[in-house]
Amino acid sequence: MPAQTFRMGDGRGDENRGDGETPVHEVTLESFGIDATSVTNDDFARFVDATGYRTEAETWGFSAVFHLAIAAPAEDVMGAPAGTPWWRGVKGADWRHPGGRDSDIVGLGDHPVVHISWNDAEAYCAWAGRSLPTEAQWEAASRGGLDGARFPWGDDPHGDDSVPDPTPKPRDGTPWRMNIWQGVFPTENTLEDGFLTTAPVRSFEPNAYGLWQTIGNVWEWCADWWHPGYYGVSPLIDPRGPERGQVRVMRGGSYLCHDSYCNRYRNAARSSNTPDSSMGNGGFRTVDRRDDSPIGAPV
């Protein structure tokens, strides 16, 4: 990514209340390298083969699976979290068994690894000599140099605002530029983009910086602690998030995002989760190794 100063945050009025996507503020970053794609199952398998690492989902013995993606005996399915009945805790669900113990990742080597906690992602980074991106790095990379755009290609969810045809089709022939939910959430997915859950990491089209699927497909962990008020005190140069917190930043949305309940498949959208949480739509990508000590203002 080139060194740059960009406007970070939501200037379109799309912010989800409480997510802290405002105020829009200028951020200056030095150049950095970032993975073109989310870390894949094949990538993560090399790490596990080299180190014997066990993810937190494997240690706990369960993880969160979307109800239509469960592939497990009934006795493995646990209760649904309050407020999100489309999720189930599933015993035996982990990165090798994304739907539960009756599933596997055969043929999914080029799909993003999922059921990865923030702690798991950090362990991978330590082995690979990489780091998780700061939230500012992630947003600058996702924007692809487009100032204030909703999506990596522009403002229209289907097309490219920079060309006369408002709805050009990506090379796979679908009218979609990203892997999100179509239909009636959470019961009916019409699969207009071709995928119920994850898509191969090099599906659809890359942005102007060459990054694939920064939005949709899977949530991606960032290095920062999350706080809804952070943008009001964020440093102008190389912000790295609050000095402390309880949850870590996640960016980009996933295959479950739908306007009826979650419009977080945008460049500016923010979410968060506890560092030991894992789920069937959560993964990560990495950046050049850096000093991860926090320098941001406390909130």
Side-chain angles (χ1 to χ4, degrees):
M1 301 300 103
Q4 60 187 279
T5 297
F6 75 103
R7 293 191 303 147
M8 185 171 180
D10 170 46
R12 301 283 184 167
D14 299 320
E15 179 182 13
N16 291 287
R17 182 176 298 178
D19 282 356
E21 296 180 34
T22 54
V24 175
H25 55 291
E26 284 195 348
V27 167
T28 298
L29 298 173
E30 295 181 353
S31 62
F32 63 96
I34 187 170
D35 296 341
T37 73
S38 304
V39 172
T40 66
N41 285 317
D42 281 348
D43 296 330
F44 202 77
R46 284 189 284 272
F47 159 58
V48 171
D49 289 346
T51 64
Y53 182 81
R54 283 174 55 81
T55 61
E56 293 195 290
E58 291 170 293
T59 300
W60 303 133
F62 71 95
S63 190
V65 180
F66 181 64
H67 72 113
L68 296 184
I70 293 173
E75 60 267 25
D76 286 354
V77 181
M78 305 159 67
T84 54
W86 46 86
W87 285 107
R88 300 287 189 277
V90 177
K91 297 175 183 178
D94 55 47
W95 74 277
R96 293 188 191 273
H97 308 92
R101 59 172 161 158
D102 290 343
S103 65
D104 57 44
I105 55 172
V106 174
L108 302 179
D110 62 346
H111 284 234
V113 65
V114 293
H115 295 291
I116 299 299
S117 71
W118 186 91
N119 296 322
D120 297 331
E122 279 285 287
Y124 175 94
C125 287
W127 169 79
R130 305 284 287 170
S131 293
L132 289 175
T134 66
E135 188 174 14
Q137 287 178 321
W138 189 98
E139 185 167 324
S142 183
R143 289 189 177 280
L146 293 181
D147 179 50
R150 287 187 174 96
F151 309 111
W153 55 84
D155 286 328
D156 188 288
H158 297 281
D160 186 335
D161 304 313
S162 67
V163 298
D165 180 359
T167 56
K169 294 183 178 181
R171 61 182 73 158
D172 65 0
T174 74
W176 291 89
R177 304 284 304 249
M178 54 194 159
N179 177 16
I180 58 173
W181 188 275
Q182 297 90 40
V184 180
F185 186 86
T187 57
E188 179 188 2
N189 191 333
T190 55
L191 303 180
E192 293 168 30
D193 62 12
F195 305 99
L196 175 65
T197 60
T198 59
V201 293
R202 293 181 185 268
S203 301
F204 306 100
E205 298 274 348
N207 72 4
Y209 287 159
L211 274 67
W212 298 78
Q213 295 199 84
T214 53
I215 63 171
N217 214 20
V218 295
W219 285 102
E220 296 182 350
W221 289 109
C222 292
D224 313 34
W225 290 111
W226 178 88
H227 190 284
Y230 181 67
Y231 282 10
V233 297
S234 172
L236 300 179
I237 299 175
D238 190 24
R240 303 192 194 182
E243 293 178 351
R244 61 188 64 88
Q246 296 181 324
V247 291
R248 295 284 185 174
V249 172
M250 303 187 79
R251 284 300 203 113
S254 80
Y255 58 79
L256 295 181
C257 279
H258 187 269
D259 281 342
S260 66
Y261 91 102
C262 168
N263 71 333
R264 294 184 179 91
Y265 52 97
R266 296 174 288 107
N267 291 324
R270 311 174 75 208
S271 191
S272 62
N273 211 334
T274 56
D276 61 353
S277 292
S278 63
M279 52 275 176
N281 64 341
F284 68 108
R285 74 179 71 207
T286 72
V287 297
D288 294 340
R289 191 69 182 170
R290 58 178 288 153
D291 173 12
D292 288 319
S293 58
I295 60 173
V299 295

